[in-house]
Amino acid sequence: MTSDAPLSQLLRTATRPQHEHAETRSFVTDLMSGALGESGKAGYIALTRQHHAVYSALEAKGAELRGDAVAAPLVLDELLRVPSLEADLAVLHGENWREEIELLPATRDYVATLEAIQAPAEYLAHAYTRYLGDLSGGQVISRMMQRHYGLAESELTFYEFTAIPKSKPFKDDFRDLMDAAPFTAEEKERVVAEAMVAFDLNAALFVQLGDLFPSAEGATAA
């Protein structure tokens, strides 16, 4: 696909392999299927703690870029996740979750990448990867966490976008904003390249979580 195609199409096509790689890591499939067994809730709490660090860095960078004419239309308050993550962690773990739940090396790498962002193209790549993924699969994840591990809705508000009643029209509008952004061909390539980095960072995080929380079914079979 040539660089004069809409940016949303370029991203969807170019990042498909990385996207599939990230979402098929064993931790993700085990968590979603219930295969983590009794460690499932602990695994979800660990994931939520990593998400808090990632979204804190992403949303801090978004706040920095609000004054940029290109980035400003893409920094949307409806998407902010940090308050929900903090509320969830307080219920899931207790008020000392910052001190008591370790950040993984992959998370620290992810945060460092986000903190190093300087251009709207890089910010958009990470916002696209995280927020549109949450809007696309969040409700399914929430249902699976309730079904398999008995989590309550009050522990899963991360997946509730109260300011976005219907996700599909919002996602369509967000893609339109992406496509309307005045990026050059080189900047579009930068968005795509950075989105691939974002998916790879997510995959690395899932691998490390999988090492900490292996499948209970696999342990039983062994």
Side-chain angles (χ1 to χ4, degrees):
M1 188 176 294
T2 62
S3 60
D4 59 352
L7 179 56
S8 59
Q9 291 184 24
L10 289 171
L11 277 167
R12 187 182 302 113
T13 301
T15 62
R16 186 172 292 123
Q18 281 81 5
H19 189 178
E20 292 176 354
H21 177 73
E23 69 181 8
T24 55
R25 296 310 86 205
S26 61
F27 175 79
V28 178
T29 56
D30 290 343
L31 183 71
M32 290 291 287
S33 68
L36 294 185
E38 294 182 358
S39 68
K41 182 174 182 179
Y44 179 76
I45 292 172
L47 172 63
T48 304
R49 176 66 177 102
Q50 313 312 307
H51 275 163
H52 178 267
V54 168
Y55 280 91
S56 293
L58 177 62
E59 292 175 5
K61 188 58 62 173
E64 288 180 19
L65 290 171
R66 279 185 184 273
D68 183 279
V70 176
L74 301 164
V75 182
L76 303 172
D77 289 343
E78 300 97 313
L79 292 170
L80 298 179
R81 297 290 85 203
V82 169
S84 295
L85 286 162
E86 292 179 350
D88 288 351
L89 283 162
V91 177
L92 285 162
H93 184 83
E95 296 299 332
N96 294 326
W97 53 267
R98 284 182 176 84
E99 297 79 21
E100 295 175 356
I101 307 175
E102 181 181 1
L103 290 182
L104 300 175
T107 303
R108 297 185 186 279
D109 290 343
Y110 200 158
V111 168
T113 299
L114 293 168
E115 290 176 343
I117 287 173
Q118 296 184 352
E122 296 166 344
Y123 169 78
L124 174 58
H126 288 278
Y128 164 86
T129 303
R130 290 284 359 147
Y131 293 126
L132 264 65
D134 298 331
L135 283 165
S136 297
Q139 291 304 306
V140 174
I141 296 171
S142 179
R143 287 195 297 272
M144 293 301 100
M145 296 308 98
Q146 293 176 64
R147 177 185 303 174
H148 295 309
Y149 308 114
L151 297 184
E153 290 183 5
S154 62
E155 298 170 314
L156 297 161
T157 66
F158 170 64
Y159 298 109
E160 296 177 9
F161 289 81
T162 55
I164 303 174
K166 295 184 178 180
S167 63
K168 186 182 185 307
F170 185 92
K171 289 189 295 182
D172 290 343
D173 289 344
F174 190 83
R175 292 187 181 100
D176 289 343
L177 287 171
M178 290 167 49
D179 294 341
F183 289 124
T184 65
E186 181 180 11
E187 287 170 329
K188 285 184 179 181
E189 292 176 0
R190 191 172 182 181
V191 176
V192 171
E194 191 69 17
M196 291 179 179
V197 169
F199 281 116
D200 288 344
L201 288 166
N202 278 286
L205 172 56
F206 294 147
V207 168
Q208 291 186 5
L209 284 167
D211 292 339
L212 291 174
F213 301 97
S215 168
E217 294 177 1
T220 301

